[in-house]
C-alpha cells in the first residue's frame, strides 16, 4: 500500500493560490467583500461582448465591435483579449487585500520577498478608481439620456438603447461597471490606512 506524503500537484497549486490570495491580517470584512466583488462587476460585460461579437449570438442589435483596430487583428480575437485584459485589471484589486499586494511574490526576479511600497499600489489604484468612476458614470448618464458623447440622439441600432430585450440585456451587462470605480476607491483607502498605520 502506498501513502501520499505530498499533496498532488493540483492540490499544491490550489494551496498556493489560496495562500497568495487570502486576506492579510487587519483587512476589514467589507474590504474583502469589495475586493472579491470587483472582478464580478466586470464579468457580465465581458461575457456579453464575447457572446455578441466573438460568437455572434443574437443578443445585440446592429453591427457589434470596437471602433478602430488594426486590420490584421480579427475583431473576435480583439474582444476576447479585451475581456481577458479587463478581468485581469479588475483582479488586481484582490492584491490590495492579499499578501502579494504587500510583499512581492517569489516569481518576480530582483524584487521577490521585498515589501511593496504603499504608494506603488495606492497611486495607480486611486487613479484607476477616479478614472473608472468618471468614465462609467459619464457613460451611464449618456445612455440614460439617450445621447452620444457629442450630445446627439443615439442611433436606433445602438446596443444600449433600452427599447427591446436586447438593449435591456446590454444595459444589465454593463450596469455593474458603475460599481468598479467606487469599490476600487474604497478598497484603496482601506489598503492605505492599513499600510500607513503599520
Amino acid at each position: 500500500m502506498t501513502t501520499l506524503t505530498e499533496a498532488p500537484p493540483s492540490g499544491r497549486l490550489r494551496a498556493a493560490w489560496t495562500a497568495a490570495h487570502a486576506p492579510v491580517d487587519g483587512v476589514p470584512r467589507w474590504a474583502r467583500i469589495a475586493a472579491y466583488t470587483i472582478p464580478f462587476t466586470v464579468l457580465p460585460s465581458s461575457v456579453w461582448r464575447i457572446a455578441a461579437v466573438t460568437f455572434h449570438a443574437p443578443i445585440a442589435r446592429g453591427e457589434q465591435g470596437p471602433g478602430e483596430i488594426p486590420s490584421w487583428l480579427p475583431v473576435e480575437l480583439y474582444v476576447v483579449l479585451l475581456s481577458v485584459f479587463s478581468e485581469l485589471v479588475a483582479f488586481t484589486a484582490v492584491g490590495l487585500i492579499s499578501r502579494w499586494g504587500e510583499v512581492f511574490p517569489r516569481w518576480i526576479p530582483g524584487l521577490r520577498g521585498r515589501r511593496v511600497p504603499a504608494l506603488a499600489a495606492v497611486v495607480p489604484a486611486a487613479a484607476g478608481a477616479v478614472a473608472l468612476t468618471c468614465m462609467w458614470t459619464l457613460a451611464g448618464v449618456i445612455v440614460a439620456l439617450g445621447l452620444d458623447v457629442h450630445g446627439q440622439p443615439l442611433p436606433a441600432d445602438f446596443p444600449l438603447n433600452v427599447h427591446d430585450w436586447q438593449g435591456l440585456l446590454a444595459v444589465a451587462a454593463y450596469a455593474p461597471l458603475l460599481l468598479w470605480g467606487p469599490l476600487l476607491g474604497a478598497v484603496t483607502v482601506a489598503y492605505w490606512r492599513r499600510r500607513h498605520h503599520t
Side-chain angles (χ1 to χ4, degrees), residues 55-158:
F55 294 114
H56 307 287
I59 61 171
R61 70 175 95 71
E63 184 66 26
Q64 300 305 311
E68 298 294 322
I69 61 169
S71 59
W72 54 265
L73 181 63
V75 67
E76 294 83 1
L77 177 60
Y78 170 81
V79 166
V80 170
L81 294 174
L82 173 66
S83 298
V84 169
F85 177 74
S86 299
E87 285 298 327
L88 291 173
V89 170
F91 188 75
T92 61
V94 175
L96 296 172
I97 64 159
S98 303
R99 178 167 166 71
W100 58 273
E102 295 187 7
V103 178
F104 287 106
R106 291 181 302 182
W107 55 268
I108 300 179
L111 295 174
R112 65 182 65 156
R114 293 185 183 180
R115 288 192 58 79
V116 173
L119 287 177
V122 169
V123 170
V130 170
L132 289 165
T133 300
C134 292
M135 180 176 73
W136 291 114
T137 301
L138 178 63
V141 168
I142 286 172
V143 168
L145 294 175
L147 303 173
D148 66 13
V149 293
H150 305 293
Q152 301 300 316
L154 290 172
D157 65 347
F158 186 73

